[in-house]
Amino acid sequence: KNRMKSQISIMQLVYPPISNQEAEWLKDIQEVQEEIKNSNLYMICQRTEAFFEYSSTDIDKCIKDDGIFRFTLNTKNVSTSGEIDFNQLLDLQNISLEENEIIKIDLGPKLIRLWTIDKETGDNVDVIAWFTTESILFDKWQGHPAITGLDDYRKLTKYLLHYVGISKKEDSLTRLVIRPHDKRLRVLSNEEAKNYGSRLTDEVYFLFFKVNPMQITQIETDEEMSELVNGVEVDLIPIVADAEKAYVKILNSKYNTVKYNSYPKGSDGLYDTGLTRYGYVIGEDISLITDSESIEGKHISESVGWPSTMDFIYICGDEVTLIKSKEQENM
């Protein structure tokens, strides 16, 4: 009797999306390296550049009155308003200002940053928080308690997918940014900016994913029960290799020259590992779009549970299917 063994792998970002330009700025920062080194699958995408805008009236009101910072986040076609509760940011980090300290706000079209500074010398003391145009979207869908508004944020998280890649021997930041990467250079050489006046380096975005597998097994033997109770070590390399092929096969990303037409068959994936069925979902509030297909993701968290409003790549035997969220609701 064959046991049923299924696996769902959740694609989750280890870091907010960053542009090619930001990657050049951030690649030598140790804290960023520490987070991105957990990524084993990455995507090169494109989206119209976004900018923060603020009014001087709202800035004055925030500083002198209520501590609520109001802004809009705009691309060529989308504008959405949001708020950051500065007092809540301080509370979340247990920051209480010393007598000689005040808050300084750095504002730019791509950055909001809060510092504590020494009011006598003007020297920066500590960074309280900082947000880029992409990290504030990431924080929004992750449920950051100090961020409200941004009601149309899903319109800003639709990415044109150019390339899917994996990191087997080194982390994704090294593979994609620090070392010369052929497909990254080809995208930057061949694509055109979507927004007049924007540089392509500011429209090309990197998504750094970690593939997190969840196994579902029908328990039939004491050995399988022991595995469930004590845990069994999972080899991520074939899962990541399989995930890459699944997304390339379904989305037909332009710069993946190998299209894996025979997938799910293959020597380095999950085809011969004994799984009855398996699949992939994107556990973030982003959409991936190519000329032929699109995939909707949805943030997965313990508090929210398993959402139905996301697309699911499903593999059973020799068949691979993209199940849209509307179809899942009818299953």
Side-chain angles (χ1 to χ4, degrees), residues 249-285:
K249 167 87 171 185
I250 291 293
L251 286 164
N252 190 24
S253 35
K254 180 178 175 181
Y255 285 85
N256 285 94
T257 48
V258 180
K259 299 299 184 183
Y260 305 115
N261 293 323
S262 60
Y263 180 83
K265 292 180 180 177
S267 59
D268 64 344
L270 296 177
Y271 184 71
D272 292 319
T273 57
L275 289 170
T276 309
R277 51 182 176 249
Y278 47 100
Y280 303 94
V281 294
I282 294 176
E284 307 287 356
D285 283 7

Side-chain angles (χ1 to χ4, degrees), residues 1-5 217-221 224 227 274 276:
K1 183 180 178 181
N2 292 327
R3 62 175 176 154
M4 299 288 287
K5 193 173 180 184
T217 305
Q218 181 178 315
I219 304 298
E220 293 187 353
T221 68
E224 288 164 7
E227 277 186 11
T276 309

Side-chain angles (χ1 to χ4, degrees), residues 271-330:
Y271 184 71
D272 292 319
T273 57
L275 289 170
T276 309
R277 51 182 176 249
Y278 47 100
Y280 303 94
V281 294
I282 294 176
E284 307 287 356
D285 283 7
I286 62 177
S287 308
L288 300 174
I289 301 161
T290 61
D291 290 341
S292 56
E293 192 52 89
S294 65
I295 287 182
E296 298 283 323
K298 184 65 182 173
H299 176 54
I300 296 171
S301 69
E302 291 180 9
S303 59
V304 174
W306 193 269
S308 60
T309 54
M310 61 181 175
D311 300 340
F312 179 38
I313 298 179
Y314 176 71
I315 299 99
C316 184
D318 292 345
E319 298 297 318
V320 54
T321 311
L322 176 61
I323 302 174
K324 295 286 191 175
S325 58
K326 291 177 183 174
E327 296 169 26
Q328 287 186 57
E329 291 170 5
N330 298 324

